Amino acid sequence: MSAHHESAGTHGFDRAYWEDHWAADGPQRPDAGRRLPVSPYLPAETGHLPPGSALDAGCGQGTEALWLADRGWQVTGADLSATALAEAARRAEAAGLEQRVQWVETDLTRWEPDRSWDLVATHYAHPESGQLTFYDRLGELVAPGGTLLIVGHRHGEHGHGEQGHPEGATATLAGITGRFAGPGWSVEAAYENERTIPHGGRDLSLRDVVVRVRRNLP
């Protein structure tokens, strides 16, 4: 389900969209064949946590899931795209991490796992349900005392050429933190950040919103 970046425009984030996105020769893959580095927010926001169980929600080709696995986490990587997951599994085997990662092909908005995780992380995952509803759903999968890390595109960046995103693919800092304002959660980090990554032979500016919350123990 996830992607580090998308083309601007109006479309739905269904299975066909993500299969097309992750196809090696797909029209949305100017970075096809090149492995993107791990999101800088993952080590920054989770490096202090003791390894446990982790869910990478919308794992794509597994970059973040494998980073966690390499640091001792037992990881579940879930995504809507079979194409992305096949590449993720190849990478895990090549890195000798296949025993530390389970790959699950699923629609995260409808998935009903019979468990929770110590860490749930999502990077730029865009479901058809909308961002805030999706983050609510992910919160339900966090174990008591566990952490939810959300990295998304900042609202207001859609419709501006190549760095734009459809309206439903963005969120505001206040919008996200407001979903976790109740007594069951503690907001531990919430900020916006701008960074530049190589994309399709040139630099792409990303305007990110990052939120880390902890689910309080009963």
Side-chain angles (χ1 to χ4, degrees), residues 139-140 142-148 177-188 213-218:
E140 297 172 0
V142 180
T147 296
L148 172 62
T177 57
R179 314 297 274 214
F180 302 96
W185 296 91
S186 296
V187 178
E188 298 186 326
V213 296
R214 177 171 48 85
R215 187 169 190 174
N216 296 330
L217 293 169

Side-chain angles (χ1 to χ4, degrees), residues 55 70 72 75 86 89 117-119 121 127 138 159 161 173 188 212-213 218:
L55 169 64
D70 192 45
V75 185
W117 287 265
D118 300 318
L119 169 66
L138 295 185
L173 194 63
E188 298 186 326
R212 174 169 53 85
V213 296

Side-chain angles (χ1 to χ4, degrees), residues 139-218:
E140 297 172 0
L141 304 179
V142 180
T147 296
L148 172 62
L149 173 64
I150 295 169
V151 179
H153 295 297
R154 191 177 73 193
H155 183 69
E157 304 311 321
H158 58 280
H160 297 286
E162 288 193 17
Q163 61 188 12
H165 307 285
E167 178 78 20
T170 62
T172 65
L173 194 63
I176 299 173
T177 57
R179 314 297 274 214
F180 302 96
W185 296 91
S186 296
V187 178
E188 298 186 326
Y191 56 94
E192 297 174 350
N193 185 55
E194 296 189 15
R195 62 192 180 103
T196 301
I197 64 171
H199 177 64
R202 53 182 147 177
D203 289 337
L204 176 70
S205 177
L206 293 180
R207 296 169 176 86
D208 300 324
V209 57
V210 182
V211 174
R212 174 169 53 85
V213 296
R214 177 171 48 85
R215 187 169 190 174
N216 296 330
L217 293 169

Side-chain angles (χ1 to χ4, degrees), residues 78-97:
D79 202 278
L80 189 61
S81 170
T83 300
L85 290 173
E87 175 61 21
R90 285 192 289 270
R91 292 182 179 186
E93 184 175 3
L97 294 170

Side-chain angles (χ1 to χ4, degrees), residues 67-119:
W67 185 90
L68 288 166
D70 192 45
R71 282 149 185 83
W73 292 81
Q74 195 66 42
V75 185
T76 302
D79 202 278
L80 189 61
S81 170
T83 300
L85 290 173
E87 175 61 21
R90 285 192 289 270
R91 292 182 179 186
E93 184 175 3
L97 294 170
E98 65 270 25
Q99 298 302 313
R100 301 205 66 86
V101 189
Q102 175 189 15
W103 307 107
V104 179
E105 181 185 343
T106 187
D107 181 343
L108 283 158
T109 64
R110 297 179 175 88
W111 191 33
E112 297 288 343
D114 58 357
R115 58 164 300 181
S116 57
W117 287 265
D118 300 318
L119 169 66

